[in-house]
Amino acid sequence: MNEEQQGNGAGEPQARRLRFTASGWEYFRIWIVNVALTLLTLGIYSAWAKVRARRYLYGNVWLGDSAFDYTANPVAILRGRILVVIVLALLTFAQFFSILYYYAALLALMPLVPWVVVRARSFQMRNSRYRGIALDFQGKYWDAAVWYPLSWAASVATLGLARPFTVFGRDRYLVTESRFGNQPFGFAGKPRPYYGMYVVTAVVVGVLYIGGIVALLVVLSAVLAATNSNAEAAGPDMRLFLVGLVAIVAAVSLFVLAYLRTRLLSYRWSNTQLGEDTFRLDLSVTEMLWLYSSNAVLILATFGLFIPFARIRVLRYVVGQFSVTQTDAERIFEAGESQGVAATGAEAAGEFGLEIGI
Amino acid sequence: MSGIPCHYYDGRTSRRHDAVLALTARGGLVIACEGADERLNYEDVRIPGRVADTPRYLHLPDGGVCEVQDNDALDGEQARTRRDPEPRADRFGRLRHRLDSTWRGAAAALAVTAAILYSFTEWGAPAVATVAVAATPPEVEAVIGENFLTLLEQLRLLKPSELEPNRRNELLAAFEEMRRETGVEDADLRFHSVGVPNAFALPGGTVVLTDSLVELAEDDEEVIAVLAHELGHVSGRHVMRRFAQTSSMLVLWTAFTGDVSVATLSFLGPDRLLAQRYSRSFENDADRFAFDYLLSAGIPPTRLSDIIQRLSGADREAGTSAGGNALDWLASHPGAAERARNATEAAKRAREGAAADE
């Protein structure tokens, strides 16, 4: 197998694919035990559950003959989750008094967003290891402020025209502030392809919406004509219309999920570098569309029991499409400075495992 | 000394060294690497619990890492030297591995999950709903009901009634008497035209009666029977209870699936079943309430089942002609035959009670 090839000196670049060895049934067992223990402990176990599931997934991703390692401390994740629950509870509470308080509270939380972004990302990176070397993220608060809350405002102010550029900026920020050991990642992406992806998305979403609603109206008028347009029969038409609308929204979200997310992820990774090493992620939009839609149907049909299998299916495809090109497969990376901190005090206080939806 | 082949990383570089790991009977841990032995205290090494068959990374006190891929060999060495399998990390690691690596453990977890979900559905959610409904001030409930009624009118799902004012006044008087007799003060009756025979209760105590239902009824006794049933819903505050029960189920379901969007997707199936189940128990409650009132007013309880049977016939006709009605879900009346049986039994019990009194 080509991924087993050992370093044959510099010069000849070697492309190696990642391998994913997880099995759906094995992950199902881990998942269902996690669910049971989480329910039994009123949610407290969820932090341990997360670490165990992650350890299983990371430990089944192989580059060459080493697998990845996830080292997060569940207590840190639990602390972060308790904090999030408290904030959400306060927000809900504020809503009861007045919607004004709610928006005031949201605004007051805005300055925390960049902090949360930086903490969450560095927590995730520092706890991911390969060959004993941790990844790291050293992003600054103010850069995060520019690429998160301020760029949201810019997108809104420009009616979305600035959106592709801000997504480009965010990707560049996230990649270039990351490191493997003491080696920073580089980013070769350009803003223009982001505009291309967003234009395609906007056009297809527009066509889906307009075409869907026109088709719906045609069907409705046909139904109306068939039922002899009884003045009292507004009820069934209304329901048909709502069902049609939900179907259109579902189709649009599925497309955005499969197309935009897939293209963004592929582009970001394919333009990421680590020194002289390059990465490539070739995801097919139709394959992702098939995976997402069939997973949705199966999850629905099994009352949720298919969830672990769905996750493994997607990961198996995505990880399998990932390759690393190195001039020297046995290149030696050195640990970063922060790893010393992490190693001596893995349980260092103040490390919040805050999670943001990914 | 037998040993376990492993890989050693010093934690400063990603350089990989082939090594051999061995445990000694006296509590030592020896890593033989490139001719040099590193002797450590077993208790100082952080050995994470086993997750399926993923490689385990033993964290050494100096920041180094020892990667063991042969999990069975490590388990065997620990058993042979009678060492606590997780001296510093993952206290319940072995128990968790035993649970999620065997089918018996997974089956137990599945059973526990099903039992918790079932008991929450059966007892937890209704209890939560009782507390939530008791905590909701009647004024708030009235506002919700009023808003909902306005919405139905604006959507033109409810149209003004075309009943004779005299007929309305007769029914209003009967409803007034019913209110006085049963002591359900917060209730009022409204007449509307929907195009199908229907009656439903809204939050806050508004009962809506449709013209077609009045026309479908053979006499006033049948209309009163239906109104008594709806007053039963008002008395039990069933609409609010249903809302509180379904919401609390969704929260639990989120814990089950671990993700809000997946939860919503996989909840669609169970939600329909639950709605049926809860609705059936509410209908039975309302029926009991109606039987009691009808008996006290000298009306046979079977009058309720009579009109229900005719209603379900009318529903079926409406269903085939116009695809059902948008208001169906407000007044789902399952099991017409079962309810007829209940009505007959209530009448029989009343007769027996009367016979015993003589």
Side-chain angles (χ1 to χ4, degrees):
Chain A
M1 286 169 97
N2 64 346
E3 64 254 26
E4 300 295 337
Q5 279 176 349
Q6 296 296 307
N8 50 356
E12 197 70 8
Q14 289 287 325
R16 295 189 298 173
R17 271 178 193 276
L18 291 186
R19 281 181 301 137
F20 190 59
T21 50
S23 104
W25 283 108
E26 213 166 48
Y27 186 58
F28 171 79
R29 292 198 300 252
I30 290 170
W31 177 82
I32 192 69
V33 170
N34 278 344
V35 166
L37 292 175
T38 299
L39 290 177
L40 276 177
T41 57
L42 303 173
I44 292 169
Y45 185 77
S46 68
W48 279 262
K50 185 201 162 84
V51 171
R52 196 162 177 81
R54 279 272 168 108
R55 279 188 57 205
Y56 177 73
L57 296 175
Y58 276 50
N60 279 300
V61 175
W62 297 77
L63 176 62
D65 40 16
S66 293
F68 285 77
D69 183 20
Y70 184 68
T71 58
N73 176 12
V75 178
I77 294 179
L78 183 65
R79 236 183 344 239
R81 288 194 171 174
I82 290 174
L83 198 72
V84 169
V85 167
I86 290 174
V87 170
L88 285 181
L90 286 178
L91 277 177
T92 317
F93 198 58
Q95 240 174 329
F96 271 110
F97 285 105
S98 138
I99 198 76
L100 212 65
Y101 282 179
Y102 176 72
Y103 286 121
L106 270 189
L107 211 63
L109 284 175
M110 270 299 154
L112 285 182
V113 169
W115 180 79
V116 169
V117 167
V118 171
R119 297 304 296 217
R121 181 128 181 121
S122 60
F123 183 82
Q124 193 199 334
M125 301 292 264
R126 284 179 192 182
N127 285 305
S128 305
R129 288 192 183 195
Y130 178 72
R131 294 198 160 187
I133 301 294
L135 288 138
D136 194 9
F137 181 71
Q138 301 190 334
K140 302 285 175 294
Y141 176 94
W142 285 110
D143 291 324
V146 167
W147 296 117
Y148 285 87
L150 290 179
S151 71
W152 295 337
S155 297
V156 173
T158 57
L159 300 174
L161 286 179
R163 176 79 182 150
F165 184 79
T166 61
V167 173
F168 156 75
R170 190 196 63 193
D171 277 2
R172 192 181 53 186
Y173 165 68
L174 291 178
V175 171
T176 56
E177 297 294 344
S178 299
R179 290 156 183 264
F180 177 57
N182 64 359
Q183 171 73 59
F185 284 88
F187 189 59
K190 300 271 180 296
R192 189 196 281 266
Y194 285 82
Y195 276 91
M197 292 175 223
Y198 272 87
V199 166
V200 171
T201 307
V203 168
V204 175
V205 167
V207 166
L208 279 178
Y209 265 123
I210 295 169
I213 286 171
V214 167
L216 197 57
L217 289 177
V218 168
V219 170
L220 271 183
S221 50
V223 168
L224 260 183
T227 55
N228 228 345
S229 168
N230 185 339
E232 296 258 49
D237 302 340
M238 195 67 204
R239 187 155 75 173
L240 200 61
F241 184 71
L242 287 179
V243 168
L245 218 55
V246 168
I248 293 172
V249 171
V252 167
S253 344
L254 191 67
F255 171 77
V256 171
L257 195 69
Y259 174 78
L260 192 60
R261 265 182 61 172
T262 301
R263 291 293 316 276
L264 283 173
L265 198 66
S266 301
Y267 186 80
R268 189 213 283 190
W269 271 111
S270 299
N271 287 283
T272 296
Q273 302 154 347
L274 186 61
E276 291 165 10
D277 302 347
T278 56
F279 302 89
R280 182 138 200 100
L281 180 60
D282 285 315
L283 295 178
S284 139
V285 172
T286 44
E287 182 67 27
M288 291 299 274
L289 205 58
W290 157 246
L291 282 174
Y292 280 137
S293 46
S294 54
N295 277 348
V297 169
L298 286 163
I299 287 173
L300 204 61
T302 57
F303 291 172
L305 289 178
F306 193 71
I307 291 170
F309 299 95
R311 210 164 279 162
I312 296 294
R313 280 181 80 200
V314 171
L315 280 174
R316 180 175 296 134
Y317 175 66
V318 172
V319 171
Q321 294 304 106
F322 199 103
S323 62
V324 184
T325 303
Q326 287 181 298
T327 46
D328 175 11
E330 285 302 296
R331 179 171 164 206
I332 303 304
F333 290 92
E334 288 176 14
E337 285 165 23
S338 65
Q339 185 163 351
V341 181
T344 51
E347 282 99 342
E351 188 81 89
F352 288 108
L354 290 176
E355 288 187 293
I356 41 174
I358 300 165
Chain B
M1 188 167 57
S2 69
I4 309 161
C6 65
H7 299 124
Y8 171 76
Y9 307 95
D10 63 11
R12 290 183 291 275
T13 73
S14 65
R15 191 188 305 278
R16 174 156 129 165
H17 309 270
D18 288 326
V20 175
L21 174 82
L23 304 188
T24 69
R26 284 188 306 278
L29 187 149
V30 183
I31 297 169
C33 181
E34 290 165 4
D37 285 4
E38 190 178 355
R39 291 175 183 280
L40 297 161
N41 205 343
Y42 181 81
E43 306 292 330
D44 295 337
V45 178
R46 219 159 56 88
I47 306 180
R50 178 173 176 177
V51 180
D53 206 18
T54 56
R56 263 185 288 180
Y57 293 87
L58 281 54
H59 294 263
L60 312 178
D62 63 353
V65 176
C66 189
E67 176 198 27
V68 178
Q69 295 188 5
D70 191 343
N71 281 299
D72 292 335
L74 181 55
D75 288 348
E77 276 290 281
Q78 285 175 328
R80 188 183 64 80
T81 55
R82 296 167 202 234
R83 289 290 139 202
D84 179 4
E86 295 94 25
R88 282 201 46 218
D90 219 348
R91 196 104 336 251
F92 298 102
R94 191 150 68 155
L95 176 67
R96 295 201 286 168
H97 176 64
R98 208 177 294 159
L99 277 177
D100 63 23
S101 63
T102 59
W103 285 111
R104 203 180 301 172
L110 190 60
V112 165
T113 303
I116 291 176
L117 290 178
Y118 178 79
S119 27
F120 191 79
T121 311
E122 202 63 21
W123 304 290
V128 168
T130 305
V131 173
V133 168
T136 310
E139 300 82 39
V140 173
E141 202 185 314
V143 170
I144 297 173
E146 204 55 50
N147 287 343
F148 193 63
L149 200 60
T150 316
L151 180 73
L152 290 180
E153 282 166 358
Q154 279 169 354
L155 288 172
R156 301 194 33 81
L157 291 173
L158 291 180
K159 298 188 191 86
S161 166
E162 287 157 15
L163 280 184
E164 294 289 319
N166 281 347
R167 185 88 182 97
R168 272 193 251 177
N169 285 336
E170 280 169 29
L171 293 172
L172 276 173
F175 190 72
E176 186 56 39
E177 194 193 322
M178 197 186 299
R179 264 182 45 179
R180 242 195 346 267
E181 291 288 317
T182 56
V184 183
E185 294 295 329
D186 306 330
D188 70 318
L189 176 62
R190 311 244 181 125
F191 298 91
H192 281 284
S193 166
V194 176
V196 283
N198 206 344
F200 52 87
L202 291 176
T206 299
V207 173
V208 174
L209 184 64
T210 73
D211 293 359
S212 325
L213 189 128
V214 179
E215 285 154 19
L216 182 81
E218 278 180 352
D219 53 35
D220 276 7
E221 282 187 0
E222 285 192 350
V223 182
I224 287 169
V226 169
L227 289 179
H229 171 88
E230 296 307 330
L231 201 63
H233 283 315
V234 173
S235 162
R237 296 174 86 179
H238 287 161
V239 185
M240 293 301 283
R241 286 192 65 110
R242 181 150 87 180
F243 177 69
Q245 286 181 359
T246 321
S247 312
S248 59
M249 280 308 295
L250 187 58
V251 171
L252 183 77
W253 205 259
T254 308
F256 166 54
T257 57
D259 175 332
V260 177
S261 54
V262 176
T264 318
L265 178 68
S266 57
F267 191 57
L268 292 176
D271 178 53
R272 291 320 306 156
L273 294 178
L274 286 175
Q276 288 287 328
R277 184 173 181 77
Y278 288 148
S279 136
R280 186 186 289 266
S281 86
F282 290 149
E283 294 308 321
N284 285 338
D285 273 4
D287 276 357
R288 262 195 301 279
F289 182 95
F291 296 157
D292 285 348
Y293 173 73
L294 293 176
L295 285 170
S296 76
I299 300 173
T302 45
R303 300 316 308 270
L304 181 61
S305 47
D306 289 347
I307 186 158
I308 284 165
Q309 227 126 34
R310 213 163 323 121
L311 261 172
S312 55
D315 266 0
R316 230 168 288 132
E317 269 170 46
T320 49
S321 68
N325 184 278
L327 296 174
D328 271 359
W329 62 272
L330 273 173
S332 70
H333 295 120
E338 181 193 330
R339 298 171 74 190
R341 212 164 43 242
N342 289 345
T344 318
E345 272 168 26
K348 205 171 91 193
R349 270 200 308 278
R351 268 200 306 279
E352 282 163 0
D357 283 346
E358 278 167 16

